[in-house]
Coordinates of all heavy atoms in Angstrom, one line a residue:
M384 N 0.7 -1.2 -0.1 CA -0.1 0.0 0.0 C 0.8 1.3 0.0 O 0.3 2.4 -0.1 CB -1.0 -0.1 1.2 CG -2.1 -1.0 1.1 SD -3.0 -0.9 -0.4 CE -4.3 0.0 0.1
V385 N 2.1 1.1 0.1 CA 3.0 2.4 0.1 C 2.9 3.1 -1.3 O 3.0 4.2 -1.3 CB 4.4 2.0 0.4 CG1 5.4 3.1 0.3 CG2 4.6 1.3 1.8
E386 N 2.7 2.3 -2.3 CA 2.7 2.8 -3.6 C 1.4 3.7 -3.8 O 1.4 4.8 -4.3 CB 2.6 1.8 -4.7 CG 4.0 1.1 -4.8 CD 3.9 -0.2 -3.9 OE1 2.8 -0.5 -3.4 OE2 5.0 -0.7 -3.6
F387 N 0.3 3.3 -3.2 CA -1.0 4.0 -3.2 C -0.8 5.3 -2.5 O -1.3 6.3 -3.0 CB -2.1 3.2 -2.7 CG -3.5 3.8 -2.8 CD1 -4.0 4.1 -4.0 CD2 -4.1 4.2 -1.6 CE1 -5.3 4.7 -4.1 CE2 -5.3 4.9 -1.7 CZ -5.9 5.1 -3.0
E388 N -0.2 5.3 -1.3 CA 0.0 6.5 -0.5 C 0.8 7.5 -1.2 O 0.7 8.7 -1.2 CB 0.4 6.1 1.0 CG -0.5 5.3 1.7 CD 0.1 4.6 2.9 OE1 1.3 4.7 3.0 OE2 -0.7 4.0 3.7
T389 N 2.0 7.0 -1.8 CA 2.8 7.8 -2.6 C 2.2 8.5 -3.8 O 2.3 9.6 -4.0 CB 4.0 7.0 -3.0 OG1 4.7 6.3 -1.9 CG2 5.1 7.8 -3.7
A390 N 1.3 7.7 -4.4 CA 0.6 8.2 -5.5 C -0.4 9.3 -5.1 O -0.5 10.4 -5.8 CB -0.2 7.2 -6.3
L391 N -1.0 9.2 -3.9 CA -1.9 10.2 -3.4 C -1.2 11.5 -3.1 O -1.7 12.6 -3.4 CB -2.7 9.7 -2.1 CG -3.9 8.7 -2.4 CD1 -4.4 8.2 -1.1 CD2 -4.9 9.3 -3.2
L392 N 0.0 11.3 -2.5 CA 0.7 12.5 -2.2 C 1.3 13.2 -3.4 O 1.5 14.4 -3.4 CB 1.9 12.1 -1.2 CG 1.5 11.7 0.1 CD1 2.8 11.3 1.0 CD2 0.8 12.8 0.9
A393 N 1.6 12.4 -4.5 CA 2.0 13.0 -5.7 C 1.0 13.8 -6.4 O 1.1 14.9 -6.9 CB 2.6 11.9 -6.6
V394 N -0.2 13.2 -6.4 CA -1.4 13.9 -6.9 C -1.7 15.2 -6.1 O -2.1 16.3 -6.6 CB -2.6 13.0 -7.1 CG1 -3.9 13.8 -7.4 CG2 -2.4 11.9 -8.0
A395 N -1.5 15.1 -4.8 CA -1.8 16.3 -3.9 C -0.7 17.4 -4.2 O -1.1 18.6 -4.3 CB -1.6 15.9 -2.5
A396 N 0.5 17.0 -4.5 CA 1.5 17.9 -4.8 C 1.1 18.6 -6.2 O 1.4 19.8 -6.3 CB 2.8 17.2 -4.9
A397 N 0.7 17.9 -7.1 CA 0.2 18.5 -8.4 C -0.8 19.4 -8.1 O -0.9 20.5 -8.9 CB -0.2 17.3 -9.4
F398 N -1.8 19.2 -7.3 CA -2.9 20.2 -7.0 C -2.3 21.4 -6.3 O -2.9 22.5 -6.6 CB -4.0 19.5 -6.2 CG -5.1 18.8 -7.1 CD1 -5.0 17.5 -7.1 CD2 -6.0 19.6 -7.8 CE1 -6.0 16.8 -7.9 CE2 -6.9 18.9 -8.6 CZ -6.9 17.5 -8.6
V399 N -1.4 21.3 -5.5 CA -0.7 22.4 -4.9 C 0.0 23.3 -6.0 O 0.0 24.5 -6.0 CB 0.3 22.0 -3.8 CG1 1.2 23.2 -3.3 CG2 -0.4 21.4 -2.6
L400 N 0.6 22.6 -7.0 CA 1.2 23.3 -8.1 C 0.2 24.0 -8.9 O 0.4 25.2 -9.3 CB 2.0 22.3 -9.0 CG 2.7 22.9 -10.2 CD1 3.8 23.9 -9.7 CD2 3.3 21.8 -11.0
F401 N -1.0 23.5 -9.1 CA -2.1 24.1 -9.9 C -2.5 25.3 -9.1 O -2.9 26.4 -9.7 CB -3.2 23.2 -10.0 CG -3.0 22.0 -11.0 CD1 -3.6 20.8 -10.8 CD2 -1.9 22.1 -11.9 CE1 -3.3 19.7 -11.6 CE2 -1.6 21.0 -12.8 CZ -2.3 19.8 -12.6
A402 N -2.6 25.2 -7.8 CA -3.0 26.4 -6.9 C -2.0 27.5 -7.0 O -2.4 28.7 -7.1 CB -3.1 25.9 -5.5
V403 N -0.7 27.2 -7.1 CA 0.3 28.2 -7.2 C 0.2 28.9 -8.6 O 0.3 30.2 -8.8 CB 1.7 27.7 -7.1 CG1 2.7 28.6 -7.5 CG2 1.9 27.2 -5.7
V404 N -0.1 28.1 -9.7 CA -0.4 28.7 -11.0 C -1.7 29.6 -10.9 O -1.6 30.8 -11.5 CB -0.5 27.6 -12.1 CG1 -1.0 28.2 -13.4 CG2 0.7 26.8 -12.2
A405 N -2.7 29.3 -10.3 CA -3.9 30.1 -10.1 C -3.5 31.3 -9.3 O -4.1 32.5 -9.6 CB -5.0 29.2 -9.4
L406 N -2.8 31.2 -8.3 CA -2.2 32.5 -7.6 C -1.6 33.4 -8.5 O -1.6 34.6 -8.3 CB -1.4 32.2 -6.3 CG -2.2 31.5 -5.2 CD1 -1.3 31.1 -4.1 CD2 -3.3 32.4 -4.8
Y407 N -0.8 33.0 -9.5 CA -0.2 33.9 -10.5 C -1.3 34.8 -11.2 O -1.1 35.9 -11.4 CB 0.6 33.1 -11.5 CG 1.2 33.9 -12.6 CD1 2.2 34.9 -12.2 CD2 0.6 33.9 -13.8 CE1 2.7 35.7 -13.3 CE2 1.1 34.8 -14.8 CZ 2.1 35.7 -14.5 OH 2.5 36.6 -15.5
R408 N -2.4 34.0 -11.4 CA -3.6 34.7 -12.2 C -4.1 35.8 -11.2 O -4.6 36.8 -11.6 CB -4.6 33.7 -12.6 CG -5.8 34.3 -13.2 CD -5.5 35.2 -14.4 NE -4.8 34.7 -15.5 CZ -4.2 35.3 -16.5 NH1 -4.4 36.6 -16.6 NH2 -3.5 34.8 -17.5
V409 N -4.1 35.5 -9.9 CA -4.6 36.5 -8.9 C -3.8 37.7 -9.0 O -4.2 38.8 -9.0 CB -4.6 35.9 -7.5 CG1 -5.0 36.9 -6.5 CG2 -5.6 34.7 -7.4
Y410 N -2.5 37.5 -9.1 CA -1.4 38.6 -9.2 C -1.6 39.4 -10.4 O -1.5 40.6 -10.5 CB -0.1 38.1 -8.9 CG 1.0 39.1 -9.1 CD1 1.2 40.2 -8.1 CD2 1.8 39.1 -10.2 CE1 2.1 41.1 -8.3 CE2 2.8 40.1 -10.4 CZ 3.0 41.1 -9.4 OH 3.9 42.0 -9.6
D411 N -1.7 38.6 -11.6 CA -1.6 39.2 -12.8 C -2.9 39.3 -13.6 O -2.9 39.8 -14.8 CB -0.5 38.4 -13.7 CG -0.1 39.1 -15.0 OD1 0.0 40.3 -14.9 OD2 0.0 38.5 -16.1
G412 N -3.9 39.0 -12.9 CA -5.3 39.1 -13.6 C -5.6 40.3 -14.2 O -5.5 41.4 -13.5
P413 N -6.1 40.4 -15.4 CA -6.4 41.7 -16.0 C -7.6 42.4 -15.5 O -7.9 43.5 -15.4 CB -6.7 41.5 -17.5 CG -6.9 39.9 -17.6 CD -6.3 39.3 -16.4
T414 N -8.6 41.5 -15.0 CA -9.8 42.1 -14.4 C -10.1 41.5 -13.0 O -9.5 40.5 -12.6 CB -11.1 41.7 -15.2 OG1 -11.3 40.4 -15.2 CG2 -10.9 42.3 -16.7
T415 N -11.0 42.2 -12.3 CA -11.3 41.7 -11.0 C -12.0 40.4 -11.1 O -11.8 39.6 -10.1 CB -12.2 42.8 -10.3 OG1 -11.6 44.1 -10.3 CG2 -12.6 42.4 -8.9
H416 N -12.8 40.1 -12.0 CA -13.5 38.9 -12.1 C -12.5 37.7 -12.3 O -12.7 36.7 -11.8 CB -14.4 38.9 -13.4 CG -15.3 40.1 -13.3 ND1 -16.1 40.5 -12.3 CD2 -15.5 41.1 -14.3 CE1 -16.8 41.5 -12.6 NE2 -16.4 42.0 -13.8
D417 N -11.4 38.0 -13.1 CA -10.4 36.9 -13.2 C -9.7 36.6 -11.9 O -9.5 35.5 -11.5 CB -9.3 37.3 -14.2 CG -9.9 37.4 -15.6 OD1 -10.8 36.6 -16.0 OD2 -9.4 38.2 -16.4
R418 N -9.6 37.6 -11.1 CA -8.9 37.4 -9.8 C -9.8 36.7 -8.8 O -9.3 35.8 -8.1 CB -8.5 38.8 -9.2 CG -7.4 39.5 -10.0 CD -6.9 40.7 -9.2 NE -5.7 41.2 -9.9 CZ -5.6 42.2 -10.7 NH1 -6.6 43.0 -11.0 NH2 -4.5 42.6 -11.2
V419 N -11.1 37.0 -8.9 CA -12.0 36.3 -7.9 C -12.1 34.8 -8.3 O -12.0 34.0 -7.4 CB -13.4 36.9 -8.0 CG1 -14.4 36.1 -7.3 CG2 -13.4 38.3 -7.5
I420 N -12.2 34.6 -9.6 CA -12.3 33.2 -10.0 C -11.0 32.4 -9.7 O -10.9 31.2 -9.3 CB -12.5 33.0 -11.5 CG1 -14.0 33.6 -11.7 CG2 -12.5 31.7 -12.0 CD1 -14.5 33.6 -13.2
A421 N -9.8 33.1 -9.8 CA -8.5 32.5 -9.5 C -8.4 32.1 -8.0 O -7.8 31.1 -7.7 CB -7.3 33.3 -10.1
V422 N -8.9 33.0 -7.2 CA -8.9 32.8 -5.8 C -9.7 31.6 -5.5 O -9.3 30.7 -4.6 CB -9.2 34.0 -5.0 CG1 -9.6 33.7 -3.5 CG2 -8.2 35.2 -5.0
N423 N -10.8 31.5 -6.0 CA -11.7 30.4 -5.8 C -11.1 29.0 -6.3 O -11.2 28.1 -5.7 CB -13.1 30.6 -6.6 CG -14.2 29.8 -6.0 OD1 -13.9 28.9 -5.2 ND2 -15.3 30.0 -6.4
V424 N -10.4 29.0 -7.5 CA -9.8 28.0 -8.0 C -8.6 27.4 -7.1 O -8.5 26.3 -6.8 CB -9.3 28.2 -9.4 CG1 -8.3 27.1 -9.9 CG2 -10.4 28.3 -10.4
A425 N -7.9 28.4 -6.6 CA -6.8 28.1 -5.8 C -7.3 27.5 -4.5 O -6.7 26.5 -3.9 CB -5.9 29.3 -5.4
G426 N -8.3 28.0 -3.9 CA -9.0 27.5 -2.7 C -9.5 26.1 -2.9 O -9.3 25.2 -2.0
T427 N -10.1 25.9 -4.0 CA -10.6 24.6 -4.4 C -9.5 23.5 -4.5 O -9.6 22.4 -4.0 CB -11.5 24.6 -5.6 OG1 -12.6 25.5 -5.4 CG2 -12.1 23.2 -5.9
N428 N -8.5 24.0 -5.2 CA -7.3 23.1 -5.3 C -6.7 22.7 -3.9 O -6.3 21.6 -3.7 CB -6.3 23.6 -6.2 CG -6.7 23.4 -7.7 OD1 -7.5 22.7 -8.0 ND2 -6.2 24.4 -8.5
T429 N -6.6 23.6 -3.0 CA -6.1 23.5 -1.7 C -7.0 22.5 -0.9 O -6.5 21.6 -0.2 CB -6.0 24.8 -1.0 OG1 -5.2 25.6 -1.7 CG2 -5.4 24.6 0.4
V430 N -8.3 22.6 -1.1 CA -9.2 21.7 -0.4 C -8.9 20.3 -0.9 O -8.9 19.3 -0.1 CB -10.6 22.1 -0.5 CG1 -11.6 21.0 -0.1 CG2 -10.9 23.4 0.2
I431 N -8.8 20.1 -2.2 CA -8.5 18.8 -2.7 C -7.2 18.3 -2.3 O -7.2 17.0 -1.9 CB -8.5 18.9 -4.3 CG1 -9.9 19.2 -4.8 CG2 -8.1 17.6 -4.9 CD1 -10.1 19.5 -6.3
A432 N -6.1 19.1 -2.2 CA -4.8 18.6 -1.8 C -5.0 18.2 -0.3 O -4.4 17.1 0.0 CB -3.9 19.7 -1.9
I433 N -5.6 18.9 0.6 CA -5.8 18.6 2.0 C -6.5 17.2 2.1 O -6.1 16.3 2.9 CB -6.5 19.6 2.8 CG1 -5.5 20.8 2.9 CG2 -6.8 19.1 4.2 CD1 -6.3 22.1 3.4
T434 N -7.6 17.0 1.3 CA -8.3 15.8 1.3 C -7.5 14.6 0.9 O -7.5 13.5 1.4 CB -9.6 15.9 0.4 OG1 -10.3 17.0 0.8 CG2 -10.4 14.6 0.5
L435 N -6.7 14.8 -0.2 CA -5.8 13.7 -0.7 C -4.6 13.4 0.5 O -4.3 12.2 0.7 CB -5.1 14.1 -2.0 CG -6.0 14.0 -3.1 CD1 -5.3 14.7 -4.3 CD2 -6.5 12.7 -3.4
V436 N -4.2 14.4 1.2 CA -3.3 14.1 2.2 C -3.9 13.3 3.4 O -3.3 12.5 4.0 CB -2.6 15.4 2.7 CG1 -1.8 15.3 4.0 CG2 -1.7 15.9 1.6
A437 N -5.1 13.7 3.7 CA -5.9 13.0 4.6 C -6.1 11.5 4.3 O -6.0 10.7 5.2 CB -7.3 13.7 4.9
A438 N -6.4 11.2 3.0 CA -6.5 9.8 2.6 C -5.2 9.1 2.6 O -5.1 8.0 3.0 CB -7.0 9.8 1.2
A439 N -4.2 9.8 2.3 CA -2.8 9.2 2.3 C -2.3 8.8 3.7 O -1.8 7.8 4.0 CB -1.7 10.1 1.7
F440 N -2.5 9.7 4.7 CA -2.2 9.5 6.0 C -3.1 8.9 7.1 O -3.0 8.6 8.1 CB -1.7 10.8 6.7 CG -0.3 11.3 6.1 CD1 -0.2 12.7 5.7 CD2 0.7 10.5 5.9 CE1 0.9 13.1 5.2 CE2 1.9 11.0 5.3 CZ 1.9 12.3 5.0
Q441 N -4.4 8.6 6.3 CA -5.5 8.1 7.0 C -5.8 8.9 8.3 O -6.0 8.3 9.4 CB -5.3 6.6 7.3 CG -5.2 5.9 6.1 CD -4.8 4.3 6.4 OE1 -4.6 4.0 7.5 NE2 -4.9 3.5 5.3
Q442 N -5.9 10.2 8.1 CA -6.2 11.0 9.4 C -7.6 11.9 9.0 O -7.6 12.6 8.1 CB -5.1 12.2 9.5 CG -3.8 11.6 9.9 CD -3.9 11.1 11.4 OE1 -4.6 11.8 12.2 NE2 -3.2 10.0 11.7
S443 N -8.6 11.4 9.7 CA -9.9 12.1 9.5 C -10.0 13.5 10.0 O -11.0 14.2 9.5 CB -11.1 11.2 10.1 OG -10.9 11.2 11.6
T444 N -9.1 13.9 10.8 CA -9.1 15.3 11.3 C -8.7 16.2 10.1 O -9.3 17.3 10.1 CB -8.2 15.5 12.4 OG1 -6.9 15.1 12.1 CG2 -8.7 14.7 13.7
F445 N -8.0 15.8 9.2 CA -7.7 16.6 8.1 C -8.8 16.9 7.2 O -9.0 18.1 6.6 CB -6.6 16.0 7.2 CG -5.2 16.1 7.7 CD1 -4.2 15.3 7.1 CD2 -4.9 16.7 8.9 CE1 -2.9 15.3 7.7 CE2 -3.6 16.7 9.4 CZ -2.6 16.0 8.8
L446 N -9.8 16.0 7.2 CA -11.1 16.3 6.5 C -11.9 17.3 7.1 O -12.5 18.1 6.4 CB -11.8 14.9 6.4 CG -11.2 13.8 5.6 CD1 -12.1 12.6 5.7 CD2 -11.1 14.2 4.1
D447 N -11.9 17.5 8.5 CA -12.6 18.5 9.1 C -11.9 19.9 8.7 O -12.7 20.9 8.4 CB -12.5 18.4 10.6 CG -13.2 17.2 11.1 OD1 -14.1 16.7 10.4 OD2 -12.8 16.7 12.2
V448 N -10.5 19.9 8.6 CA -9.9 21.1 8.2 C -10.3 21.4 6.7 O -10.5 22.6 6.5 CB -8.4 21.0 8.3 CG1 -7.7 22.1 7.7 CG2 -8.0 20.7 9.8
A449 N -10.3 20.5 5.8 CA -10.7 20.7 4.4 C -12.1 21.2 4.4 O -12.4 22.1 3.5 CB -10.4 19.5 3.6
L450 N -13.1 20.7 5.2 CA -14.4 21.2 5.1 C -14.5 22.5 5.5 O -15.3 23.4 4.9 CB -15.3 20.2 5.9 CG -16.7 20.5 6.0 CD1 -17.3 20.3 4.6 CD2 -17.5 19.7 7.0
V451 N -13.8 22.9 6.6 CA -13.9 24.3 7.1 C -13.3 25.3 6.1 O -13.9 26.4 5.8 CB -13.2 24.5 8.4 CG1 -13.0 25.9 8.9 CG2 -14.0 23.8 9.5
Y452 N -12.2 24.9 5.4 CA -11.5 25.7 4.4 C -12.4 25.8 3.3 O -12.5 27.0 2.7 CB -10.2 25.1 4.1 CG -9.3 26.0 3.3 CD1 -8.7 27.0 3.9 CD2 -9.2 25.8 1.8 CE1 -8.0 28.0 3.0 CE2 -8.5 26.8 1.1 CZ -7.9 27.7 1.7 OH -7.2 28.6 1.0
A453 N -13.2 24.7 2.9 CA -14.1 24.9 1.7 C -15.2 25.8 2.0 O -15.6 26.6 1.2 CB -14.7 23.5 1.4
L454 N -15.8 25.8 3.2 CA -16.8 26.7 3.7 C -16.3 28.2 3.6 O -17.0 29.0 3.2 CB -17.4 26.4 4.9 CG -18.3 25.1 5.0 CD1 -18.6 24.7 6.4 CD2 -19.5 25.2 4.2
L455 N -15.1 28.4 4.1 CA -14.6 29.8 4.1 C -14.4 30.3 2.7 O -14.5 31.4 2.4 CB -13.2 29.8 4.9 CG -13.4 29.7 6.4 CD1 -12.0 29.6 7.2 CD2 -14.2 30.9 7.0
N456 N -13.8 29.3 1.8 CA -13.6 29.7 0.4 C -14.9 30.2 -0.2 O -15.0 31.2 -0.9 CB -13.0 28.5 -0.3 CG -12.6 28.9 -1.7 OD1 -12.2 30.0 -2.1 ND2 -12.6 27.8 -2.6
F457 N -16.0 29.4 0.1 CA -17.3 29.8 -0.5 C -17.8 31.1 0.0 O -18.3 31.9 -0.7 CB -18.3 28.6 -0.2 CG -19.7 29.0 -0.6 CD1 -20.1 29.0 -1.8 CD2 -20.7 29.2 0.4 CE1 -21.4 29.2 -2.2 CE2 -22.0 29.5 0.0 CZ -22.4 29.6 -1.4
L458 N -17.7 31.3 1.4 CA -18.2 32.5 1.9 C -17.2 33.7 1.4 O -17.8 34.8 1.3 CB -18.0 32.5 3.4 CG -19.1 31.6 4.0 CD1 -18.8 31.4 5.6 CD2 -20.5 32.1 3.7
L459 N -16.1 33.6 1.1 CA -15.2 34.7 0.6 C -15.7 35.0 -0.8 O -15.8 36.1 -1.1 CB -13.8 34.2 0.6 CG -12.8 35.1 -0.2 CD1 -12.5 36.3 0.7 CD2 -11.5 34.4 -0.6
S460 N -16.1 34.1 -1.6 CA -16.5 34.2 -3.0 C -17.8 35.1 -2.9 O -18.1 36.0 -3.6 CB -16.7 33.0 -3.7 OG -15.5 32.3 -3.9
I461 N -18.7 34.6 -2.0 CA -20.1 35.3 -1.9 C -19.9 36.7 -1.4 O -20.5 37.7 -1.9 CB -21.0 34.5 -0.9 CG1 -21.3 33.2 -1.6 CG2 -22.3 35.2 -0.7 CD1 -22.0 33.2 -2.9
A462 N -19.0 36.8 -0.4 CA -18.8 38.2 0.2 C -18.2 39.2 -0.8 O -18.6 40.3 -1.0 CB -17.9 38.1 1.4
F463 N -17.3 38.7 -1.5 CA -16.6 39.6 -2.6 C -17.6 39.9 -3.7 O -17.6 41.1 -4.1 CB -15.3 38.9 -3.1 CG -14.6 39.8 -4.0 CD1 -13.7 40.8 -3.4 CD2 -14.7 39.8 -5.4 CE1 -13.1 41.8 -4.2 CE2 -14.1 40.8 -6.2 CZ -13.2 41.7 -5.6
S464 N -18.4 38.9 -4.1 CA -19.4 39.2 -5.1 C -20.4 40.3 -4.6 O -20.7 41.2 -5.4 CB -20.1 38.0 -5.5 OG -19.2 37.0 -6.0
K465 N -20.9 40.2 -3.4 CA -21.8 41.1 -2.9 C -21.1 42.5 -2.8 O -21.8 43.5 -3.1 CB -22.2 40.7 -1.5 CG -23.2 41.5 -0.8 CD -23.7 40.9 0.5 CE -24.6 41.8 1.3 NZ -25.5 42.8 0.7
F466 N -19.9 42.6 -2.3 CA -19.2 43.8 -2.2 C -19.1 44.4 -3.7 O -19.3 45.8 -3.8 CB -17.8 43.6 -1.6 CG -16.9 44.9 -1.6 CD1 -17.2 45.9 -0.8 CD2 -16.0 44.9 -2.5 CE1 -16.4 47.0 -0.8 CE2 -15.1 46.0 -2.6 CZ -15.3 47.1 -1.7
N467 N -18.7 43.7 -4.6 CA -18.5 44.2 -5.9 C -19.8 44.7 -6.6 O -19.9 45.7 -7.3 CB -17.8 43.1 -6.9 CG -17.3 43.7 -8.0 OD1 -17.0 44.9 -8.1 ND2 -17.1 42.9 -9.1
V468 N -20.9 44.0 -6.4 CA -22.2 44.4 -6.9 C -22.7 45.7 -6.2 O -23.2 46.6 -6.9 CB -23.3 43.3 -6.7 CG1 -24.7 43.8 -7.0 CG2 -22.9 42.1 -7.6
E469 N -22.5 45.9 -4.9 CA -22.9 47.1 -4.2 C -22.1 48.3 -4.6 O -22.5 49.4 -4.5 CB -22.7 46.8 -2.6 CG -23.8 46.0 -2.1 CD -23.6 45.8 -0.6 OE1 -22.6 46.2 0.0 OE2 -24.5 45.0 -0.1
R470 N -20.9 48.0 -5.2 CA -19.9 49.1 -5.6 C -20.4 49.5 -7.0 O -19.9 50.4 -7.5 CB -18.6 48.7 -5.7 CG -17.8 49.1 -4.5 CD -16.3 48.9 -4.7 NE -16.0 48.4 -6.0 CZ -14.7 48.0 -6.3 NH1 -13.8 48.3 -5.5 NH2 -14.5 47.5 -7.5
G471 N -21.2 48.8 -7.6 CA -21.7 49.1 -9.0 C -21.3 48.1 -10.1 O -21.6 48.3 -11.2
G472 N -20.4 47.2 -9.7 CA -20.0 46.3 -10.6 C -20.9 45.1 -10.8 O -21.8 44.8 -9.9
V473 N -20.9 44.4 -11.8 CA -21.7 43.3 -12.0 C -20.9 42.0 -12.3 O -20.0 42.1 -13.2 CB -22.8 43.4 -13.2 CG1 -23.6 42.1 -13.3 CG2 -23.7 44.7 -12.9
L474 N -21.0 41.0 -11.5 CA -20.2 39.8 -11.8 C -20.9 38.8 -12.7 O -22.0 38.7 -12.8 CB -20.0 39.0 -10.4 CG -18.9 39.6 -9.6 CD1 -18.8 38.8 -8.3 CD2 -17.6 39.5 -10.3

């Protein structure tokens, strides 16, 4: 089973790399909408990576952390969208 755990950690590392690429879009995004979507993508990739690490190490407490992080990621997207619409922008 060591190979399966190693494969899970390798896939988790790939998702972390995808999150870093998405953070580049946050920095260099031409519009605010691109930045919001990139933050959401980076957060989702982080949740997936945490879940894969939880499966690799068989730690269910990591799943609680991933769930809380996913909820915070969702609330951040909703809050930013509400803020942007109230300022006059439309998402």
Side-chain angles (χ1 to χ4, degrees):
M384 288 310 260
V385 174
E386 297 86 17
F387 182 67
E388 294 162 355
T389 306
L391 285 176
L392 291 175
V394 172
F398 274 104
V399 169
L400 182 65
F401 296 152
V403 170
V404 170
L406 288 177
Y407 173 74
R408 177 54 58 190
V409 172
Y410 174 73
D411 194 40
T414 66
T415 305
H416 310 303
D417 292 332
R418 289 186 171 107
V419 171
I420 291 172
V422 166
N423 201 354
V424 167
T427 303
N428 284 337
T429 304
V430 169
I431 292 171
I433 292 171
T434 305
L435 289 171
V436 169
F440 292 134
Q441 297 176 354
Q442 294 289 326
S443 62
T444 55
F445 287 170
L446 294 176
D447 296 334
V448 172
L450 183 63
V451 169
Y452 192 77
L454 289 172
L455 288 174
N456 188 29
F457 174 71
L458 288 176
L459 173 76
S460 297
I461 296 298
F463 189 80
S464 298
K465 182 174 173 32
F466 173 75
N467 198 21
V468 166
E469 285 178 356
R470 263 192 358 182
V473 177
L474 281 178

